[in-house]
Amino acid sequence: MKPSSLKLSRRKFLIGSGVVGGGLLLGFSLRDAVPVPHLRAGSFQPNAWLQITPQGEVIFQLDKAEMGQGVMTSLSAIIGEELDYDPSRMTIEFAGAHSAFKNPQMGVQITGGSTSVMTGWDPLREAGATARAMLMAAAAQQWQVDASQCKTDDGVVIHPDGQQRSGYGELAAQASQQVQPDNIQLKKPDNYRWIGKSLQRFDSADKVQGKTQFGVDVVMPGMKVAVVVRCPHFGGGLISFDKNSIAGISGVRNVFAIHSGVAIVADGYWQARKAANQLQVEWNKGPLAGLDTAAIMQGQKNALASTEKPFSVQNEGDVAPAFAGATSLVEAEYTVPFFHHSPMEPQNCTGLFVDGLLTLWAPTQTADIARAVASHFTGVPQENIVVESTFLGGGFGRRGYVDFAGEAAAVALQQPGVPVKLMWSREDDMRHDYYRPTAYHKMRAAVDNGGSVTGWHHDFVSTSVLQGFGVDLMHAMLPSWVPTSIARGIGKGVADFVPPYDISMGEGTKIPYAVPNRKVGMVHYDAGIPTGFWRSVSHSFNAFAVEGFFDELAHAVKKDPVEFRREYLKDSPRHLAALNLAVEKSNWNVMPRIAGFGRGVAVHESFGSVVAIVADVRVSGNQYVVKRLVIAVDCGLVINPDQVIAQMEGGAIYGLTAVIKNGVDIYDGACAQSNFHDLPVLRIGESPEIAAYIVPSTDKPGGIGEVAVPPVAPAVANALFAATGKRLRNLPLKLDA
Amino acid sequence: MIEFFLNDQAVAVDVEPDTPLLWALRENLQKTGTKFGCGQGLCGACTVLVNGNATRSCVLPVSSIAGQRITTIEGLQGEHAVQRAWLSENVSQCGYCQPGQIMSAVGLLQQNGNPGDEDILNAMAGNICRCGTYPRIVKAIKVAAKTLQQTNGGGV
């Protein structure tokens, strides 16, 4: 199979065909024999996640990044439930990069796409249940009884006589000798002890004491700190730098060029930063010199105008006759700007290179991609690179990119034997982000003489977020034993692997509404600015256009926005249920009679869950305040209700920043802003009252980390229309624009 | 050598006088609970108490605090009513900003044992949380204020 036949999509990397083909070529199979992480001698280890020591310690290898979304608590509850062991007593360790933990939806070890619970649900329950069955078999063997007559109770196997008990630790050695059972019985939801309960987060106690080790908190004896001075212009590069310009700054140990700029190694951060600020550097501005925001926004609009046939995301029914026979047409254009992630912990990574072995301590959403990228920039083979994970001070998609790991690796290679912590400033973080891409939407709808919407035609332009990600991905998808030289060669051909259309960018455009004729088309426009996954990815800008425009249709036919949606949601019961719950809890029908008050609604499905939001705003002149958000979520079966609510609150607030605050401006091919003064984010006084509710469900769990983001923007835009009669179609929403 | 009191202990650091207190705490005194967020006093992740007042340590030259009393998150020893309220309200998500949030809240409650909503929003306006834990922060501060009123009549 030729490499070019491998087609990637963000959600489903088809690792089975192309890449394995490469493996067969080399005479290996993909399933490698690397020992599972953090193995304790003598422990019972039924699978890569679990170990039980003879002393009774139950150790769970958490293969996902904990970035605030609560996986440390939810995933341990899932495995603990079937193991029958209180998850709050488990020792939970970050697994680091390991092939056993590749995301089954993506083929790499990614924490993203709100998939952790979704993809962990079956394997973690099976892993826990298998271990429990083997412990029971071990006890039954000792007692000479039938295993099926034994029971368990939170870490103890109980004899059929109800009296004799044996702890999991006492059984560890004998459990290791048992055959893995073929058939395992999973618990019935009625018997859950920990799933469905609002357990306090297991990471909270350390977090409120400042004890949690984030990437920036890695400390080692003799450690140095590095910063990198990068070309501010995207695509630009280094011409020269003057070492003498920082001579005399105390504590500076080394200055050298790496792939991304000039690295300065010093005893401490302040010394390194002072030197960085003073360093004389000459940059080549590169191909984007002179490029600015206005040109990009115009460029993407032109891209649609000049594309004869946009890529078809959806084509149902036949829109042409619907539009030809329409009594009235509704048309609108929506835009969104670049937007920054700005997790509170600036990017960083610590590296140590000793005797050919490179170790990285990385706060990353993609541990194995970090390893692959480190290999790419150092030539150190992947099997000689260990990536240890830390807590993440926020991720939001930014830490799916591992540019910082590549830099840390390159710096460590230049300082053998010395641990070096590479740290970005906030300015670095904002100016060298992989921004949420800009988007332009052209919406058209046909309404017949009965006031029914008969045609929906949505064309939009945005950037493929896969293009930039593809190179990193390819390295990580290759088994770790593929020699780096080969991996590099394949990586260079990555453009061939990435399809011309990133279908994930169309997610969120397929409306749940029963409009008979629908056509959605997509055009990519790449201005060269790094773009990437931003919490909820394409949903964040597609929902804004779709739910804003659907609201326009309600008003065009003079219907209540809720009634109008209900009418068209007859085939979408989950949407309807979420909408109805938010409407009920918001007291939609009782609008406060307050000057400047407006209420709007939006409902959107993403990552396996449906969220409806009712937003209340108050307008005064050209200013407005978002007063309240009422949120209803159907995310299937709930693992931890309190943490679902927390993600609804947090997601809504994260989304609201991009509704109210200005996005990233490009000037001369560079980010024009630098810190929280000119890229402000929502502060506590701007945070609305939030009430979140869960639609009861026994379906498989859906995602929660991103799903509250998409409906916020349209709900607020729709509320502002209700308050003012002014339809805002560009983010951020500004009444004076 | 600059000397000051850190969490009631006399300490001395040997750094250039313009070094912000944040880096002296994190790199010289191994108190990593205080976080780096923006380096410009804009986000509050680095908040500590200087003589009881919430202060941004990333823009505070260590030379300016000689002889003064600094309290960091480690100085609350995990038993402070604000920390307990943070747990009971399950405030933390990623948790990175929370030491700074907690120090601002402690600073507020030392000045005002019974803060209203406006007092809370004003006192916390300098602390950014990107996870969006703001609603729970407000709740937790009210819970902590009540606990403190019950236990010691309003003082901290």
Side-chain angles (χ1 to χ4, degrees):
Chain A
M1 187 172 279
K2 285 186 302 189
S4 58
S5 63
L6 175 70
K7 292 294 181 198
L8 300 177
S9 79
R10 182 171 65 88
R11 307 297 302 283
K12 213 173 184 76
F13 304 117
L14 300 178
I15 192 162
S17 47
V19 176
V20 174
L24 293 174
L25 202 69
L26 292 162
F28 291 93
S29 80
L30 187 63
R31 199 174 285 276
D32 62 31
V34 180
V36 292
H38 307 156
L39 185 65
R40 266 75 153 184
S43 73
F44 165 45
Q45 185 162 41
N47 49 64
W49 281 292
L50 273 180
Q51 287 181 67
I52 299 172
T53 69
Q55 293 73 36
E57 187 181 14
V58 174
I59 304 155
F60 172 45
Q61 297 298 322
L62 179 62
D63 58 315
K64 299 295 182 190
E66 177 56 73
M67 47 191 168
Q69 84 282 39
V71 284
M72 176 170 266
T73 312
S74 57
L75 298 184
S76 352
I78 293 172
I79 200 164
E81 186 69 71
E82 292 293 346
L83 176 63
D84 200 6
Y85 188 86
D86 183 347
S88 71
R89 294 209 315 274
M90 285 180 187
T91 302
I92 304 168
E93 294 180 347
F94 292 124
H98 192 275
S99 58
F101 301 125
K102 286 186 189 295
N103 185 322
Q105 277 191 17
M106 305 185 183
V108 281
Q109 192 178 338
I110 281 184
T111 309
S114 295
T115 57
S116 295
V117 165
M118 232 186 292
T119 59
W121 177 241
D122 285 333
L124 285 172
R125 284 188 304 156
E126 282 164 20
T130 302
R132 176 173 169 269
M134 291 167 79
L135 289 157
M136 287 168 75
Q141 204 171 46
Q142 282 184 6
W143 291 327
Q144 299 288 306
V145 297
D146 181 355
S148 68
Q149 301 299 306
C150 297
K151 288 180 184 160
T152 58
D153 179 19
D154 190 10
V156 175
V157 182
I158 302 171
H159 191 281
D161 67 12
Q163 299 299 314
Q164 297 180 65
R165 303 160 76 87
S166 193
Y168 285 180
E170 300 163 57
L171 296 166
Q174 199 147 355
S176 304
Q177 307 304 315
Q178 306 300 315
V179 183
Q180 295 247 357
D182 289 333
N183 290 313
I184 42 157
Q185 278 245 296
L186 296 177
K187 274 191 183 175
K188 292 192 171 62
D190 288 348
N191 299 327
Y192 286 158
R193 295 175 73 167
W194 296 288
I195 290 175
K197 306 288 189 302
S198 287
L199 306 179
Q200 191 179 79
R201 293 177 62 118
F202 303 150
D203 50 356
S204 286
D206 279 355
K207 282 179 173 173
V208 303
Q209 296 181 72
K211 288 182 178 171
T212 302
Q213 195 183 58
F214 298 94
V216 295
D217 300 324
V218 171
V219 176
M220 274 177 285
M223 189 172 77
K224 301 294 175 194
V225 175
V227 302
V228 174
V229 183
R230 299 170 195 81
C231 180
H233 309 274
F234 298 113
L238 179 68
I239 295 173
S240 66
F241 66 98
D242 179 10
K243 264 186 187 182
N244 295 325
S245 63
I246 56 169
I249 296 183
S250 72
V252 175
R253 300 294 164 193
N254 205 351
V255 189
F256 49 90
I258 63 168
H259 58 276
S260 63
V262 183
I264 298 172
V265 180
D267 292 342
Y269 178 80
W270 183 245
Q271 295 156 321
R273 182 56 57 201
K274 271 207 285 194
N277 291 342
Q278 200 172 305
L279 184 74
Q280 297 287 316
V281 195
E282 198 184 342
W283 304 113
N284 165 9
K285 287 186 180 179
L288 303 188
L291 183 70
D292 64 14
T293 303
I296 294 168
M297 299 310 277
Q298 188 59 47
Q300 68 178 358
K301 198 172 169 176
N302 294 348
L304 180 60
S306 64
T307 302
E308 207 166 294
K309 209 166 169 253
F311 176 80
S312 175
V313 175
Q314 188 180 37
N315 197 356
E316 283 182 16
D318 192 352
V319 289
F323 278 91
T327 310
S328 62
L329 290 179
V330 185
E331 295 181 296
E333 295 174 7
Y334 284 73
T335 69
V336 307
F338 291 115
F339 215 87
H340 56 106
H341 294 84
S342 297
M344 288 313 295
E345 179 191 19
Q347 308 310 320
N348 66 87
C349 182
T350 300
L352 174 61
F353 183 62
V354 182
D355 298 335
L357 183 74
L358 177 64
T359 306
L360 296 174
W361 290 264
T364 173
Q365 293 175 242
T366 53
D368 58 353
I369 298 182
R371 181 172 61 186
V373 167
S375 171
H376 176 74
F377 285 115
T378 57
V380 177
Q382 288 202 42
E383 63 266 29
N384 290 350
I385 301 176
V386 175
V387 176
E388 295 287 0
S389 304
T390 67
F391 279 92
L392 277 59
F396 315 120
R398 175 61 180 89
R399 289 191 156 93
Y401 300 87
V402 286
D403 40 354
F404 47 86
E407 289 180 344
V411 170
L413 208 72
Q414 300 287 322
Q415 304 285 142
V418 181
V420 183
K421 188 195 300 183
L422 173 97
M423 291 192 53
W424 290 34
S425 65
R426 175 59 55 191
E427 289 80 3
D428 294 336
D429 196 87
M430 283 182 170
R431 287 176 173 160
H432 298 279
D433 199 349
Y434 293 80
Y435 307 102
R436 176 179 76 177
T438 57
Y440 166 77
H441 300 267
K442 192 173 176 187
M443 321 291 298
R444 294 172 71 228
V447 181
D448 70 9
N449 54 9
S452 292
V453 182
T454 51
W456 172 275
H457 186 185
H458 174 189
D459 281 331
F460 71 98
V461 185
S462 191
T463 314
S464 163
V465 294
L466 259 189
Q467 289 286 349
F469 197 52
V471 179
D472 291 356
L473 257 181
M474 280 314 304
H475 292 301
M477 288 173 68
L478 294 166
S480 60
W481 39 258
V482 171
T484 300
S485 56
I486 295 176
R488 279 183 164 173
I490 295 171
K492 274 183 189 143
V494 74
D496 299 334
F497 290 82
V498 180
Y501 283 101
D502 176 357
I503 54 168
S504 73
M505 298 313 284
E507 287 178 7
T509 57
K510 293 179 184 168
I511 53 172
Y513 303 112
V515 175
N517 306 294
R518 300 177 232 182
K519 190 174 178 185
V520 181
M522 173 169 74
V523 170
H524 284 328
Y525 174 72
D526 189 352
I529 306 299
T531 56
F533 316 132
W534 185 93
R535 198 172 185 174
S536 82
V537 201
S538 55
H539 290 281
S540 79
F541 50 81
N542 288 336
F544 171 56
V546 166
E547 274 296 273
F549 188 61
F550 203 72
D551 209 70
E552 294 197 48
L553 298 182
H555 290 282
V557 299
K558 299 189 168 45
K559 290 204 170 153
D560 173 77
V562 168
E563 285 310 318
F564 186 69
R565 281 178 174 79
R566 282 177 175 154
E567 202 180 302
Y568 286 87
L569 283 176
K570 54 187 182 190
D571 303 327
S572 304
R574 292 183 77 200
H575 291 74
L576 191 58
L579 175 71
N580 284 341
L581 184 59
V583 162
E584 176 206 325
K585 296 293 184 184
S586 68
N587 224 354
W588 174 270
N589 293 318
V590 186
M591 296 277 176
R593 295 185 188 282
I594 303 170
F597 179 85
R599 180 171 284 166
V601 66
V603 57
H604 186 79
E605 177 180 4
S606 61
F607 310 103
S609 299
V610 180
V611 176
I613 297 185
V614 172
D616 288 359
V617 299
R618 253 192 105 176
V619 177
S620 170
N622 279 334
Q623 304 297 310
Y624 67 92
V625 175
V626 180
K627 298 294 286 181
R628 187 185 71 162
L629 300 174
V630 176
I631 305 174
V633 56
D634 173 358
C635 58
L637 188 139
V638 169
I639 311 302
N640 186 324
D642 178 69
Q643 287 304 300
V644 171
I645 300 298
Q647 287 305 304
M648 294 307 107
E649 296 166 350
I653 288 172
Y654 195 84
L656 200 52
T657 282
V659 175
I660 293 175
K661 305 295 185 184
N662 59 284
V664 166
D665 282 320
I666 300 300
Y667 178 76
D668 202 12
C671 170
Q673 297 108 322
S674 64
N675 208 319
F676 289 118
H677 66 289
D678 53 8
L679 278 178
V681 296
L682 208 76
R683 289 181 185 267
I684 196 165
E686 302 163 302
S687 176
E689 176 195 339
I690 300 178
Y693 303 90
I694 298 170
V695 179
S697 169
T698 51
D699 292 346
K700 280 183 98 170
I704 58 161
E706 302 171 83
V707 299
V709 175
V712 172
V716 173
N718 298 343
L720 287 169
F721 178 80
T724 65
K726 195 170 176 183
R727 183 58 69 176
L728 301 181
R729 303 186 182 95
N730 306 304
L731 292 183
L733 301 176
K734 288 191 189 301
L735 284 165
D736 53 358
Chain B
M1 200 63 95
I2 296 151
E3 296 174 25
F4 56 95
F5 295 94
L6 174 61
N7 302 329
D8 294 330
Q9 305 256 314
V11 296
V13 285
D14 183 14
V15 296
E16 287 109 294
D18 66 343
T19 306
L21 173 61
L22 171 67
W23 300 110
L25 290 171
R26 288 183 55 83
E27 294 180 349
N28 300 84
L29 297 161
Q30 283 75 52
K31 293 286 183 276
T32 55
T34 306
K35 297 297 188 242
F36 168 55
C38 71
Q40 303 285 347
L42 298 166
C43 79
C46 65
T47 305
V48 299
L49 301 184
V50 179
N51 303 325
N53 298 311
T55 307
R56 315 294 174 223
S57 67
C58 74
V59 287
L60 186 68
V62 70
S63 59
S64 71
I65 54 116
Q68 303 193 45
R69 288 185 299 115
I70 308 300
T71 311
T72 66
I73 188 76
E74 291 88 354
L76 303 185
Q77 301 181 328
E79 292 298 319
H80 195 281
V82 171
Q83 288 171 308
R84 291 205 304 271
W86 244 247
L87 288 179
S88 71
E89 297 308 310
N90 244 343
V91 173
S92 302
Q93 289 188 26
C94 91
Y96 191 81
C97 73
Q98 300 300 348
Q101 303 276 4
I102 289 169
M103 296 316 290
S104 285
V106 170
L108 163 69
L109 294 175
Q110 288 191 357
Q111 319 263 330
N112 179 353
N114 187 21
D117 280 3
E118 281 304 303
D119 302 320
I120 292 173
L121 299 183
N122 286 336
M124 304 304 291
N127 290 80
I128 292 172
C129 171
R130 290 290 281 149
C131 295
T133 63
Y134 297 135
R136 294 182 183 217
I137 287 174
V138 174
K139 276 187 211 159
I141 291 174
K142 289 178 180 173
V143 168
K146 201 165 276 178
T147 310
L148 290 168
Q149 282 162 23
Q150 283 162 1
T151 52
N152 56 11
V156 174

